[in-house]
Amino acid sequence: PYLPVPPAFGKAKVSAKTPEASLTPLRQWWLQHGMPGQQLLEAAGPALQSGSAELEDFGMFPIGQSRPFIQNVIRDRFDYRGLLISPVLSETFPSNEFKYCPEAQALLAGNDLIMGASQEENTVRDIFKALESEDLTEAELDQKVYRNLFQKAMLGLDTLTPVAPNSLPLGAPGPELRRLDYAVTAGSMVLLRDEHKRVPLRNIGNKKVASVHIGVPKRSPFQRHLAHYTKVNHAQLPLDADKDALARQLKRLGKYDCVYVALSDVTEESALESPELRRILLDFQESTRLVLVNFGQYDRTRALDSIEVLVQAHDDRVVSQELAAQVVMGGLPVQGKLPARISERFASGHGLARADKWRLSFVDPEIIGLERAALAEIDSIAWSGVRNGAYPGCQVIAAKDGQVFMH
């Protein structure tokens, strides 16, 4: 397992055999910066449970539930006494191997705050069981509560006035939140590779363009937004499609000038999540201009770093898909940087810049401060002219500062 460390020390691998001298500068950095809390990264690594009978047949174990790792390495060897937050708990945690549910196991391992808890009743039950069997002492539990309360006090959260749940605004986010989400999502788009300057697509009127979105049952927001710019032949592949289905689909698109392949942010196991995907895409880019857009799943790009044109989006929400389409078509500049290291080629801070805006972008009216309800009058006027015979039909497009908000 790896621990987050200051950039000056690179990526330090910590194990039971790490020399004490190697840990000293890390301890000093933590102390100097007064780190009151940190969250463990989700990772599968040696559980440091050597000699434990219950783990003889289970060699890989999430560090967030490893008491030897948290207690022996983080608490004792690093002398870290701050708040410790667990990784988001995985549904694949093998709870049948242990006495307690994943949430309780993470607490017993040494975490003070559990992320992604989904079994509240079982967790409370198992905590009481752990107290009765003395796997957890009241003093340890008190210390966990103290660390949480201390952290709240440090952040000023202990003086906030409680708010009744029924007074909270529910439903769709307001305009300000939507504008913020739009800006943050646009800034998170990262152009990882662009060997042939295919982003954005140039001479668009002369190009035959196609798209394949893997992991969606029907035309996606990404594909619909591509079609705002030019005629696009769209195809989709379900998650249970095999490598042969992908190869056949791409072969049909071999004569197109540019093909956009999008990979959904999915956690379900798929035949396409394999080395075969890389091989098929590499073969395809030998004969066709390929642009690969990866939604979420940053680790997936480690196996795809030989793709010549590669765009990374943080997730595959509707807004992310719409903005990714505008990036590859030139409606939006792209200047995002990777928040963390993915591979040797894609280090933290990596990202190519395309600062120019080539074409119109498409936004919801609220993003640029307009009320959607007020635009209904435009639609009413247009239909009135058709009904009164002023013209046989019309198309309406409205834009502000290069941003189309009605079309």
Side-chain angles (χ1 to χ4, degrees), residues 109-124:
N111 294 286
D112 304 305
L113 184 62
I114 309 303
M115 295 292 289
S118 59
Q119 306 181 49
E120 290 84 357
E121 292 184 5
N122 290 342
T123 302
V124 173

Side-chain angles (χ1 to χ4, degrees), residues 80-92:
Y80 177 71
R81 295 292 176 259
L83 184 74
L84 198 59
I85 305 171
S86 78
V88 176
L89 297 181
S90 170
E91 294 180 357
T92 60

